[in-house]
Amino acid sequence: MDGPDAKGLIFHVTSVLYRNECNIISQDEYVSPAVGLTEGQFFMRTEFESPDKLDPQKVLKDLREAIASPEINLRINPKKKKDVVILATKEHHCLSDLLIRYNFDELDANILAVVSNYNTLQPFVSKFGIPFHYITHEHKTREEHEDAILRTLEIYQPEYLVLAKYMRILSPEFVSHYPNKTVNIHHSFLPAFIGANPYRQAYERGVKIIGATAHFVNNNLDEGPIIAQNVKEVDHRYMATDMAREGKEVEKSVLTQALKLVFNDRVFIYGNRTVVL
Amino acid sequence: MDGPDAKGLIFHVTSVLYRNECNIISQDEYVSPAVGLTEGQFFMRTEFESPDKLDPQKVLKDLREAIASPEINLRINPKKKKDVVILATKEHHCLSDLLIRYNFDELDANILAVVSNYNTLQPFVSKFGIPFHYITHEHKTREEHEDAILRTLEIYQPEYLVLAKYMRILSPEFVSHYPNKTVNIHHSFLPAFIGANPYRQAYERGVKIIGATAHFVNNNLDEGPIIAQNVKEVDHRYMATDMAREGKEVEKSVLTQALKLVFNDRVFIYGNRTVVL
Amino acid sequence: MDGPDAKGLIFHVTSVLYRNECNIISQDEYVSPAVGLTEGQFFMRTEFESPDKLDPQKVLKDLREAIASPEINLRINPKKKKDVVILATKEHHCLSDLLIRYNFDELDANILAVVSNYNTLQPFVSKFGIPFHYITHEHKTREEHEDAILRTLEIYQPEYLVLAKYMRILSPEFVSHYPNKTVNIHHSFLPAFIGANPYRQAYERGVKIIGATAHFVNNNLDEGPIIAQNVKEVDHRYMATDMAREGKEVEKSVLTQALKLVFNDRVFIYGNRTVVL
Amino acid sequence: MDGPDAKGLIFHVTSVLYRNECNIISQDEYVSPAVGLTEGQFFMRTEFESPDKLDPQKVLKDLREAIASPEINLRINPKKKKDVVILATKEHHCLSDLLIRYNFDELDANILAVVSNYNTLQPFVSKFGIPFHYITHEHKTREEHEDAILRTLEIYQPEYLVLAKYMRILSPEFVSHYPNKTVNIHHSFLPAFIGANPYRQAYERGVKIIGATAHFVNNNLDEGPIIAQNVKEVDHRYMATDMAREGKEVEKSVLTQALKLVFNDRVFIYGNRTVVL
């Protein structure tokens, strides 16, 4: 749940769960401080076990009555794997990390399909028995290309899109089909080195640390809410290509870390920030 | 609060706070999983603001009535600086880190005095206007030495003892005067290299990472509940003395980090483990 | 090269390379300090490009003449991929990390085969077209089992063995066939938690950091020269199984990091320590 | 030494040192790769012990003759502490870290004086017996203020200036007095959050990691060659002020780390990058 802070929110939730004989396994909440005229915002994630006979919608209804505020968003997510489609281009490292985890049942998601604008990764993906859709952007306008992808996505009806080093910019129109449901990995420590060739930029600036950023995609390139970041030390011996090679290790671990949070319903979006409970 | 897990604990606490018009600022809880015949253990730390007129003892009384279980420990700690005495020997790095923070009002504690079995650090401590007690262990039995220290501590009535590289082993009798209130920094990544000369041992084993451990002191040397640990990479060029020098940076940061948690009442002791909320 | 330190070693090497018109790309050396009666030990790794017509053996001969000390070990390793066989049991994470890198030509080694005492990983390994040898230890003495493995290894003549979570103890006899050529990943931050079930031990000690160690295997279990170590923070919420799950991320990254060093001839063994240049 | 790469440079240096009976303790070199028309650049740092009777200038002269290239810069720095003056404003954390190390003889520098545009830190600095110069910028043009500082610096003739959270921008004219000899600590992970209030910017962008950067000061604000960087994880609970508080820990450790490298003559400046040997 999230919404404007008010007295008694935790009390009302725990009362409802207590009356419904639910057992709270974990509960985390956060209240953003009120600043000037902006009131505090309340976020809470409660994990609970319910009696077998209990309908989750009954709990949700009770919660709505107890809290009685239309401004408070309440959601109940039964614990289950999320359905996802992965978009990739030519680089394998993020994709292969996800496929391996999926193959060994270590990912909190079902990978329904992989879509790519190149066929480079097709042989690899097919080892895992996952549909691979090669949708080239050549000889297509951006709109035509995105339409082709959207039609493919419609087949799978994924809950989340994962951009695993998908190297093309998505239009606001495309993004609007999966609002707050598209996760991208950016190969820099945002907001440093926005845009093209971040490792080249990092090399030229002579930085001693490089990084990667997983974020939700919104309409502004590289500016969506950040979910997770991580870094790696480099030194003068790293040329741009060395940074790119070592950066891949960071990219894949950050993307996996972010997806684990997202697929477990731990990430709230608040303005351009995330609250991770 | 902590004690055996039971249904409704969070509900009862939030009810009492709600009725008393207290505003919950943050609330963290943890339930250790039931294992075999051992039932789960419940830990909760709630930070709340109370109305000015409210007596904390009233809240505590209400909580006891609502929870009605003698096995549940309930404590209310008003937010205030803890009174501490620091024990040191000859090394300055942990002590000076604490003194600087205290000097600039960045420590959640009042440093009442420094006690040392050497007078090496006296000139430094006196710069900060803090009493320094030089109590040599020479020509004394351990019992006599500890008695002398205990008599000095009685003057100050500290809530916590901090062993800031105090290099003598304390007897169970001494420790029993400050049960779960004595924090030590050990210069190794426990449980590796228990005992004397850990950096020498680390060098001889050829490790690539060294560390430090802050822990509560109990009757078994280096075996009390761990509060915080941190590490630092080393390589073949580090002799034991180099490890010791670089290790000091880790020691002081781990001790400071642990004390911040302890002084903010965030650390629960459970068997030989800590739960940090 | 390595051996007892002596004046002029660097000079002699650079002279020989200069006369042979070799271009030094990088050169790293280390001299262990003389301690008591033990003299310093000299280690140097020089990467150089030689003229096309030059026979490396000619350089080696010139070096031997210039240095003229039988105690100095000189080796010339042409840059090439190492031939390796991987031993595994049931866990996939280290193995799959290596196979993916090998599949995309990102490993400085040729994986000739995988040997396992279970057939669990056979379907996965076969996706990559790599021979998989299932050699059960059931109904065999240790000697018989190791003999069966050794006969399989003889087919491949690997330069290195990689124990990618191979969960059986190897006899000194077995180890002696690949002296200083067997790399193991141990699932603890050695020397903490030697032996069985390190994550269980870590949980019971209540540590706040777990780790993994890649090391050469010698005759004493878990006591060979350490190549690389890394760690990860945990907290009270981690049960032993959680530590094991998260520890796998560390294990695979440490093993990969260590192998990169070993396969690039960067690791010298000196007593029970490694010098990594 | 540094300059355009050429065959035989290492050979010539080791020859000269060998003939002069110097013992090489450590030697590190780096050659930046030739890119397009830009040839490679050679950097080497050799630490050696010379016979007592030997004049360093004799070695330098021999080196110049052996190398015989005016483009190669050769320097001999006898091992000694550097003379420095520290500039600060109101924040103590970087300054106090340096003063403590200096007080206990753990800094490779002599702190000759502290200059500040506020008198806030005067009482603290005076505890350590170090001259404190309070030079306010009020009622002065920038030129007048910098002139006043420069006149004070002339008294001390420092080799290096350390800007320990000196919060005013220095003019190119000022900087030109200490070319490549002024080290600044910037409170962000450059090049992210250039300019004012980086922690405020970091908060608004919702980053999950903050950092600090130590760099040489040149004429472009926050754009000089980077010496060292480090980072710290944050989360949604950190407001800008929390980031600032925690960031101080990173700032002081990065500045100390950078100064250790600079004062040991390990840092070469090459364009806008540093090579650290």
Side-chain angles (χ1 to χ4, degrees), chain C:
Chain C
M1 61 184 282
D2 57 354
D5 191 23
K7 205 169 276 188
L9 290 172
I10 300 179
F11 164 66
H12 290 312
V13 170
T14 54
S15 300
V16 166
L17 293 177
Y18 185 62
R19 285 201 311 268
N20 281 283
E21 291 177 39
C22 296
N23 192 30
I24 294 177
I25 294 167
S26 75
Q27 180 164 281
D28 291 283
E29 93 286 319
Y30 169 68
V31 182
S32 70
V35 178
L37 292 178
T38 312
E39 58 187 333
Q41 191 81 1
F42 179 85
F43 303 87
M44 188 162 77
R45 177 184 184 276
T46 305
E47 222 176 297
F48 61 91
E49 289 173 329
S50 54
D52 285 349
K53 60 188 186 295
L54 185 67
D55 178 4
Q57 294 309 313
K58 160 72 165 62
V59 178
L60 192 56
K61 187 168 159 287
D62 287 0
L63 285 170
R64 286 198 209 287
E65 284 174 15
I67 287 168
S69 159
E71 287 176 292
I72 302 282
N73 304 304
L74 287 157
R75 290 174 299 279
I76 292 195
N77 295 319
K79 189 171 184 129
K80 71 164 205 47
K81 295 198 172 191
K82 302 294 189 271
D83 289 333
V84 307
V85 169
I86 299 176
L87 272 67
T89 293
K90 286 177 173 177
E91 289 176 286
H92 77 88
H93 56 288
C94 290
L95 176 64
S96 58
D97 196 66
L98 296 173
L99 290 184
I100 292 290
R101 289 172 200 271
Y102 175 60
N103 183 74
F104 288 102
D105 199 19
E106 294 165 359
L107 194 71
D108 305 306
N110 298 310
I111 299 178
L112 306 178
V114 175
V115 175
S116 176
N117 54 328
Y118 287 90
N119 59 9
T120 317
L121 296 167
Q122 183 145 25
F124 180 67
V125 172
S126 62
K127 287 187 206 294
F128 296 88
I130 292 169
F132 182 93
H133 296 268
Y134 165 36
I135 304 177
T136 183
H137 58 276
E138 285 183 44
H139 315 300
K140 294 197 185 87
T141 65
R142 183 198 291 200
E143 198 182 347
E144 289 165 353
H145 185 233
E146 292 190 346
D147 277 352
I149 295 175
L150 284 170
R151 281 194 304 275
T152 301
L153 294 177
E154 269 163 36
I155 306 169
Y156 296 102
Q157 300 281 334
E159 296 168 84
Y160 285 93
L161 291 192
V162 177
L163 309 185
K165 298 287 285 179
Y166 181 68
M167 302 305 279
R168 290 179 63 80
I169 294 166
L170 295 169
S171 71
E173 153 64 14
F174 184 97
V175 171
S176 70
H177 285 79
Y178 295 91
N180 296 337
K181 297 290 183 184
T182 305
V183 176
N184 183 44
I185 179 71
H186 184 78
H187 44 321
S188 92
F189 185 75
L190 289 175
F193 312 127
I194 284 180
N197 256 330
Y199 292 119
R200 164 63 45 193
Q201 293 181 61
Y203 168 74
E204 282 171 2
R205 182 59 189 89
V207 296
K208 300 298 186 187
I209 292 183
I210 56 172
T213 304
H215 63 97
F216 287 109
V217 177
N218 66 12
N219 293 340
N220 299 313
L221 177 64
D222 302 341
E223 304 213 334
I226 293 172
I227 307 164
Q229 300 187 291
N230 211 338
V231 295
K232 185 182 164 54
E233 291 186 16
V234 293
D235 63 32
H236 57 267
R237 291 170 298 186
Y238 286 73
M239 305 298 286
T241 50
D242 303 309
M243 290 183 180
R245 188 190 63 243
E246 294 302 314
K248 287 176 183 178
E249 307 288 328
V250 184
E251 293 165 19
K252 73 182 183 190
S253 78
V254 169
L255 180 59
T256 296
Q257 177 193 350
L259 292 177
K260 193 175 170 184
L261 296 170
V262 170
F263 295 160
N264 277 287
D265 301 303
R266 293 189 174 274
V267 184
F268 297 72
I269 295 177
Y270 176 45
N272 204 37
R273 273 203 285 283
T274 59
V275 170
V276 180
L277 296 181

Side-chain angles (χ1 to χ4, degrees), chain A residues 28 92-93 96-97 100-101 103-104 106 121 124 127-128 237 245-246 248-249 252 256 260, chain C residues 28 92 96-97 100-101 103-104 106 121 124 127-128 237 245-246 248-249 252 256 260:
Chain A
D28 292 283
H92 78 87
H93 57 287
S96 58
D97 196 66
I100 292 291
R101 290 173 198 271
N103 183 73
F104 288 103
E106 294 165 0
L121 296 167
F124 180 67
K127 287 186 205 298
F128 295 89
R237 290 170 299 185
R245 189 190 61 242
E246 294 302 313
K248 287 176 182 178
E249 306 289 326
K252 74 182 182 189
T256 297
K260 193 175 169 184
Chain C
D28 291 283
H92 77 88
S96 58
D97 196 66
I100 292 290
R101 289 172 200 271
N103 183 74
F104 288 102
E106 294 165 359
L121 296 167
F124 180 67
K127 287 187 206 294
F128 296 88
R237 291 170 298 186
R245 188 190 63 243
E246 294 302 314
K248 287 176 183 178
E249 307 288 328
K252 73 182 183 190
T256 296
K260 193 175 170 184

Side-chain angles (χ1 to χ4, degrees), chain A:
Chain A
M1 62 184 282
D2 56 355
D5 191 22
K7 208 168 274 189
L9 291 173
I10 301 179
F11 164 66
H12 289 312
V13 171
T14 55
S15 301
V16 167
L17 293 177
Y18 185 62
R19 286 200 312 267
N20 281 284
E21 291 177 41
C22 296
N23 192 30
I24 294 177
I25 294 166
S26 75
Q27 179 163 283
D28 292 283
E29 93 286 318
Y30 169 68
V31 182
S32 69
V35 178
L37 293 179
T38 313
E39 57 188 332
Q41 190 81 359
F42 179 85
F43 303 87
M44 187 161 77
R45 178 185 182 275
T46 304
E47 221 175 297
F48 61 92
E49 288 172 330
S50 54
D52 285 349
K53 60 189 186 295
L54 184 67
D55 179 3
Q57 293 310 312
K58 159 75 165 59
V59 179
L60 193 56
K61 185 167 159 287
D62 288 1
L63 286 171
R64 285 198 210 286
E65 283 174 16
I67 287 170
S69 159
E71 287 177 292
I72 301 281
N73 305 303
L74 287 158
R75 292 174 295 282
I76 292 196
N77 297 317
K79 189 169 181 127
K80 71 164 204 47
K81 295 199 174 192
K82 302 294 189 272
D83 289 333
V84 307
V85 169
I86 300 177
L87 272 67
T89 292
K90 286 177 173 176
E91 289 176 285
H92 78 87
H93 57 287
C94 289
L95 176 64
S96 58
D97 196 66
L98 296 173
L99 290 184
I100 292 291
R101 290 173 198 271
Y102 176 61
N103 183 73
F104 288 103
D105 199 18
E106 294 165 0
L107 195 70
D108 304 307
N110 298 311
I111 299 178
L112 305 180
V114 174
V115 175
S116 175
N117 54 329
Y118 286 91
N119 60 7
T120 318
L121 296 167
Q122 182 145 27
F124 180 67
V125 172
S126 62
K127 287 186 205 298
F128 295 89
I130 292 169
F132 183 94
H133 296 268
Y134 164 37
I135 304 176
T136 183
H137 58 277
E138 286 184 42
H139 314 300
K140 293 195 187 90
T141 64
R142 185 197 290 199
E143 198 182 347
E144 289 165 352
H145 186 234
E146 292 189 347
D147 277 352
I149 295 175
L150 284 169
R151 282 193 305 274
T152 302
L153 295 177
E154 269 163 36
I155 307 170
Y156 296 102
Q157 299 281 335
E159 296 167 83
Y160 285 92
L161 291 192
V162 177
L163 309 186
K165 299 286 285 180
Y166 181 69
M167 302 306 278
R168 291 178 63 81
I169 295 165
L170 295 170
S171 71
E173 153 65 15
F174 184 99
V175 171
S176 70
H177 286 77
Y178 295 91
N180 296 337
K181 296 291 184 186
T182 305
V183 176
N184 184 45
I185 179 71
H186 185 78
H187 44 322
S188 92
F189 184 76
L190 288 175
F193 312 128
I194 285 181
N197 257 328
Y199 292 119
R200 163 63 45 192
Q201 293 181 60
Y203 169 75
E204 282 173 2
R205 182 59 190 88
V207 297
K208 301 298 187 187
I209 293 183
I210 56 172
T213 304
H215 63 97
F216 287 110
V217 177
N218 64 13
N219 292 340
N220 298 313
L221 176 65
D222 301 343
E223 303 214 336
I226 293 172
I227 307 163
Q229 299 188 290
N230 211 339
V231 296
K232 184 182 165 53
E233 290 187 15
V234 294
D235 63 31
H236 57 266
R237 290 170 299 185
Y238 285 72
M239 303 298 286
T241 50
D242 303 309
M243 291 183 179
R245 189 190 61 242
E246 294 302 313
K248 287 176 182 178
E249 306 289 326
V250 185
E251 293 165 20
K252 74 182 182 189
S253 79
V254 169
L255 180 59
T256 297
Q257 177 192 349
L259 291 178
K260 193 175 169 184
L261 298 170
V262 170
F263 295 159
N264 278 287
D265 301 304
R266 293 187 173 276
V267 185
F268 296 73
I269 295 177
Y270 175 44
N272 204 38
R273 273 202 283 285
T274 59
V275 170
V276 180
L277 296 181

